[in-house]
Amino acid sequence: MTAYIITTSALTAVGLRHILHGTFGIEAHIAPSVQAVAQSQAAGESDLLFADEATVAANLGFFTPNKAKTVVITAATQHLDAEPHLISQSGTESDFIDSLESIIHSRQAAGAQPEQGKLSARETEVLQLVVAGCINKEIADRLHISINTVLTHRKNITAKLGIKSVSGLSIYAMMNGLVAPK
């Protein structure tokens, strides 16, 4: 298994490479930019791509076709347990390594995590409004539905995608072309 690390933080990149190689025996390369990975056509040869949120948002054209092997390094700490494409750099080293282990084992077992279900048109509208920062009442008002219906849609979105946090939903929506980064 090989990995590429594309992040603006040299410390994060070096630390992640050390952990991937030392703990999991994964050959990890630090790339200075998405363009460097694309030019060397290394993305086609790598099993995993690690990148920070800003890099992913700025280079959706590269990461969208590679979304099955992309892992986003985030500062978020809440509700990341069921999100195989997000890993938090906050918290303890043990938590970080446990998250990495979970991601690596899931990728080895299944190649890439398939989506559990497609969103309906209305769920997509709700997701877009959640990502835009709307609260449940605003979503209900804009779509002319009840707050309970909004809650049901959000529950269904979470169940289908396995993503609980707004930051995770935002990354999912950007990588699937449902919203454009701001």
Side-chain angles (χ1 to χ4, degrees), residues 156-174:
N156 291 340
I157 292 166
T158 298
K160 286 181 179 182
L161 302 179
I163 302 171
K164 297 178 186 175
S165 69
V166 173
S167 63
L169 291 171
S170 297
I171 291 169
Y172 172 86
M174 282 189 296

Side-chain angles (χ1 to χ4, degrees), residues 1-69:
M1 184 175 272
T2 59
Y4 275 83
I5 304 164
I6 312 162
T7 179
T8 56
S9 169
L11 185 59
T12 298
V14 170
L16 181 56
R17 181 177 66 182
H18 178 74
I19 291 170
L20 289 171
H21 180 71
T23 305
F24 302 104
I26 294 174
E27 182 182 347
H29 307 282
I30 298 172
S33 67
V34 168
Q35 291 75 20
V37 175
Q39 287 174 355
S40 68
Q41 298 186 6
E45 301 166 8
S46 68
D47 298 305
L48 290 170
L49 297 168
F50 290 90
D52 57 42
E53 295 167 308
T55 301
V56 171
N59 298 284
L60 284 176
F62 174 79
F63 287 104
T64 300
N66 293 299
K67 66 184 172 189
K69 57 183 162 184

Side-chain angles (χ1 to χ4, degrees), residues 34-100:
V34 168
Q35 291 75 20
V37 175
Q39 287 174 355
S40 68
Q41 298 186 6
E45 301 166 8
S46 68
D47 298 305
L48 290 170
L49 297 168
F50 290 90
D52 57 42
E53 295 167 308
T55 301
V56 171
N59 298 284
L60 284 176
F62 174 79
F63 287 104
T64 300
N66 293 299
K67 66 184 172 189
K69 57 183 162 184
T70 299
V71 178
V72 182
I73 303 164
T74 180
T77 58
Q78 297 177 334
H79 308 297
L80 297 181
D81 297 339
E83 300 181 32
H85 61 279
L86 289 175
I87 187 167
S88 176
Q89 62 185 2
S90 301
T92 67
E93 180 181 348
S94 175
D95 290 341
F96 186 79
I97 291 173
D98 288 346
S99 296
L100 271 176

